[in-house]
Amino acid sequence: MKHCFRIFILIVIAMATASSAAATEAAADTTAYGRTERKATRFRNDAEWLNASAMYSLLLEAKPHLAENYANAIISNAMLGDTLAVVNILERSMTHNVPIDSVFADVQEITTRLGVSYLYEELLIDSARHFPWMQRGLNGYLLKYYTYRNNGPKMVEYARIMLSGMPESVEFMRLLAKGYLLSDSTEDAVSVWREILANHPDNLPTLLDLGNYYVSTGAMSKARPYLELANRLNPTPYLTDLLRDSK
């Protein structure tokens, strides 16, 4: 009897789950926009770019204020090699006062998820050519992208570009040093770290950068002054133990 009751309960749960799923699907299908959006997503995920482009064009007509629609339309047309369409879509987003940083953020997220992140880089470079007034902001995006990719030479290139406008920026100088380090230009990295500390002797991240670099090379005597100061500014068990054990 108990066995039959359990089977009955399982059947009821299965029916309720199926009913809920069907209700959700039916609710999602109530608008033309929802159906078009699902078609667009399917075409995009299946790399049917021409169909995806057509669907996202319809979605933009219906809701021209959504950054994600612009991002998907850009990606679809970029995959088709239609750079003119990409530029037009960006211009359209500006016309509708859609925050351009939101469009770029969505492009980066979606292209990364789809495994075509190189499109994001190409979009930023092409946009800088077509919209020169946006170039500095786009260079900042490129620096962040290359930092995320641990691309040392490009980090050096774009950190220098950003420093040309903000020569005292510690953030850009630290990224320059990291770029040098990733490019195996360790002496240049050390030089940049020392320059930062010459102007900002209590900059904790840079003290740790330089101190940990010397630790990694086995030069504890060089690391000690930087790590001791870092530990005075922000004591941690790791630094305390490291400094004690290396005496």
Side-chain angles (χ1 to χ4, degrees), residues 126-169:
D126 288 343
S127 297
R129 286 197 291 265
H130 286 94
F131 308 104
W133 54 273
M134 291 173 55
Q135 190 162 39
R136 182 160 181 83
L138 293 168
N139 286 338
Y141 288 135
L142 281 163
L143 177 56
K144 290 179 182 178
Y145 172 75
Y146 292 129
T147 300
Y148 170 74
R149 304 289 296 183
N150 283 325
N151 187 327
K154 285 294 186 181
M155 286 179 65
V156 170
E157 178 184 349
Y158 279 88
R160 284 175 171 170
I161 290 172
M162 298 305 292
L163 283 166
S164 67
M166 297 178 63
E168 297 182 0
S169 170

Side-chain angles (χ1 to χ4, degrees), residues 38 55-56 80 90 95-96 101-103 109-110 118 121 146 155 178 183 201 217 223 231 244:
R38 278 187 294 282
M55 292 297 103
Y56 285 117
L80 292 170
L90 276 174
T95 300
H96 286 92
D101 56 338
S102 298
V103 175
E109 189 275 325
I110 295 167
Y118 65 89
E121 177 187 7
Y146 292 129
M155 286 179 65
K178 183 179 179 181
S183 304
T217 63
N231 201 38
R244 183 193 63 236

